[in-house]
Amino acid sequence: QAEDGIRDVERSRGLGDVYKRQDLQEALFSVSGRDILKLDNNEATIGPSPLVTRALSRYLSDRTLNQQPDMSARKLRRKISLYSGVNYDSIACFANMAETMEAVARTYLDHNLEVVISWPSDDLFGHYAASAGAKIIKAEYSDPFTPAVELIISRINSKTRVVYISNPGNPTGTSLTEAEIVFLLSYAEDVLVLVDESYFEFCGITMADLIPKFPNLAVIRTFSKAFALAGLDVSYILTDSRNLKFINRLGYLKAPGTLAQVAADAALDDINYTAGYVRQVNMSKKILFDNLPRMGYEFRITAGNFFLLKVNDADKLVETMSKSNIFINNLSRFSGFENYVQVTIGIPSHTHTVLNLLGRLAGEQASRLGRFKSKEKFVGRSVKSKESPKRIRFKNLEKPVVG
């Protein structure tokens, strides 16, 4: 059954597309990192805070790597507690998001059990659910850009043990409201509702404040996006401490390495750097919004750090942009996303580079071409660097949350 489930997941993502992406990845890593724009996985387009590099250098100078890391990540958990406002005992750290999802899947799922996944979605959790032997039930919306909590609830039955929701979603960028999540939590009291908040820093949308009220809620986050630590990743889960007693039976073996813990700890010491990067991304969103319509492109700018583009030939666009060392994600493998591409949003200079190329390709790729002149330069309006309380809401780090 587990093998059948894994094959279902592989079919859903389209192995042909996977192999194409692997070919692009090989091409990507054969080029100097300074000469490429890697915009296919929603990572940060700049490096981490200077405090991170200094902390890593200082650690390597003062200590050796002959000892194992703190498997409980106690210092980092205290820092995350200050950042998230969640009790220290309700936090566990992992080496990356994949390890977090695997620990949850193997804790709660088994043969003859089911997981409901809000769809379309990144299929990583589905992969681990299938490997645990569980049956995957997709709550697939008729309109992928209009999620409906009622559809998710209709898929829940006595065999359901986990509901997985990416919020905001990947690849759609859509979100369920807090009221909808509360409705789901109240209805499915015996089901773990796993909310993926990988893009929290970009949108400020979080359900973490609900954890004290709902023991069946778990929130997972990562340092690989806004904190620019995809190469030295740490992820963490926020949930009732009683859940962690079971999750940590596996999670204890999946702790982040020593250097990853040092990097994440230092990143949390420089929240202003991360907030500044988020402001840069928001400036880029404004530039995109001002220019893509004039080029004739159909697009969606999401609450995360990426936008979706509807083009005439996604395969050709991905190939053409890769030849210019710009790598983007082809979403055609998802039902309802034929000829859609997903592009990471970075700092304005990177956005200008992308728009320049899209402008040259508009004649053959823009699905709403009509107002754009091929020789016309795009204009990105200046955007004030004001921090929006709805989009950037970082917790005060002055008062600790006692475990």
Side-chain angles (χ1 to χ4, degrees):
Q1 183 178 356
E3 292 177 356
D4 291 341
I6 293 173
R7 281 194 289 269
D8 288 341
V9 172
E10 290 175 340
R11 280 195 292 269
S12 74
R13 64 192 303 186
L15 283 179
D17 294 312
V18 173
Y19 294 140
K20 287 179 184 178
R21 290 197 69 190
Q22 289 176 345
D23 292 339
L24 289 176
Q25 291 288 322
E26 290 179 6
L28 188 157
F29 288 111
S30 67
V31 182
S32 170
R34 295 184 179 181
D35 299 326
I36 67 171
L37 271 180
K38 188 177 183 301
L39 307 178
D40 62 344
N41 203 30
N42 305 335
E43 300 147 328
T45 64
I46 62 172
S49 161
L51 292 188
V52 171
T53 53
R54 286 201 291 269
L56 290 171
S57 178
R58 186 167 55 250
Y59 184 90
L60 290 172
S61 298
D62 296 344
R63 308 185 189 185
T64 60
L65 296 176
N66 61 307
Q67 296 179 342
Q68 289 189 344
D70 176 6
M71 303 301 284
S72 297
R74 285 164 289 195
K75 181 180 179 183
L76 179 57
R77 285 165 57 209
R78 284 193 290 269
K79 194 70 66 71
I80 292 172
S81 177
L82 300 178
Y83 172 63
S84 66
V86 175
N87 194 293
Y88 171 85
D89 290 331
S90 295
I91 302 169
C93 295
F94 297 84
N96 51 53
M97 191 63 90
E99 299 281 20
T100 309
M101 292 182 179
E102 183 180 19
V104 172
R106 295 198 177 278
T107 299
Y108 287 90
L109 298 172
D110 204 339
H111 299 279
N112 300 318
L113 297 179
E114 297 181 359
V115 55
V116 176
I117 297 180
S118 177
W119 197 263
S121 173
D122 185 293
D123 54 22
L124 187 60
F125 187 75
H127 174 83
Y128 287 116
S131 69
K135 182 178 180 181
I136 299 169
I137 307 297
K138 296 178 181 178
E140 190 165 2
Y141 312 117
S142 55
D143 177 0
F145 298 107
T146 308
V149 70
E150 295 84 2
L151 180 63
I152 297 175
I153 289 175
S154 71
R155 299 293 189 268
I156 296 174
N157 59 48
S158 60
K159 294 183 178 180
T160 307
R161 291 296 179 271
V162 178
V163 172
Y164 172 78
I165 300 170
S166 181
N167 208 55
N170 181 21
T172 63
T174 58
S175 303
L176 292 176
T177 66
E178 181 175 305
E180 289 173 317
I181 296 292
V182 168
F183 181 41
L184 174 60
L185 290 165
S186 301
Y187 176 86
E189 293 181 333
D190 297 325
V191 174
L192 183 75
V193 177
L194 185 65
V195 181
D196 186 338
E197 294 185 353
S198 292
Y199 302 99
F200 160 68
E201 283 77 17
F202 294 104
C203 63
I205 300 172
T206 182
M207 303 301 147
D209 294 340
L210 299 176
I211 290 173
K213 299 178 182 178
F214 295 96
N216 59 326
L217 170 64
V219 171
I220 53 178
R221 295 180 183 170
T222 177
F223 281 80
S224 68
K225 306 298 183 184
F227 289 102
L229 288 175
L232 204 57
D233 194 13
V234 172
S235 67
Y236 58 97
I237 186 169
L238 311 171
T239 190
D240 190 287
S241 59
R242 291 169 291 184
N243 296 330
L244 290 182
K245 289 181 180 179
F246 297 96
I247 295 173
N248 280 335
R249 292 176 181 177
L250 288 171
Y252 185 78
L253 302 176
K254 301 176 181 294
T258 299
L259 295 183
Q261 292 187 40
V262 170
D265 183 272
L268 288 173
D269 284 335
D270 198 358
I271 293 298
N272 288 336
Y273 180 89
T274 302
Y277 177 64
V278 171
R279 285 195 294 270
Q280 293 286 307
V281 170
N282 287 337
M283 291 172 66
S284 287
K285 290 181 179 181
K286 177 63 174 174
I287 294 170
L288 289 166
F289 189 81
D290 287 343
N291 291 279
L292 287 174
R294 295 196 303 114
M295 294 181 180
Y297 283 104
E298 182 179 349
F299 66 96
R300 288 179 178 268
I301 296 176
T302 72
N305 64 329
F306 59 90
F307 70 98
L308 306 184
L309 202 64
K310 179 70 179 295
V311 296
N312 293 326
D313 189 336
D315 289 338
K316 186 175 181 180
L317 179 65
V318 170
E319 181 180 0
T320 301
M321 295 190 75
S322 69
K323 290 178 180 177
S324 298
N325 293 333
I326 299 175
F327 295 83
I328 62 177
N329 185 12
N330 191 342
L331 297 181
S332 297
R333 64 188 183 277
F334 291 102
S335 175
F337 283 80
E338 183 179 359
N339 286 324
Y340 271 94
V341 296
Q342 182 188 66
V343 186
T344 303
I345 302 174
I347 61 177
S349 61
H350 296 154
T351 302
H352 293 163
T353 300
V354 171
L355 283 172
N356 274 323
L357 182 53
L358 288 176
R360 294 197 297 270
L361 298 173
E364 61 182 83
Q365 289 289 358
S367 59
R368 292 181 176 175
L369 186 63
R371 297 187 298 273
F372 176 74
K373 298 178 182 179
S374 59
K375 295 183 179 179
E376 181 182 5
K377 285 188 176 182
F378 67 87
V379 179
R381 297 181 190 172
S382 60
V383 180
K384 295 181 180 180
S385 298
K386 283 190 175 182
E387 188 169 312
S388 169
K390 292 184 179 180
R391 290 196 173 275
I392 308 173
R393 185 177 298 165
F394 296 100
K395 295 287 185 178
N396 193 319
L397 298 186
E398 296 178 357
K399 296 182 180 181
V401 178
V402 180

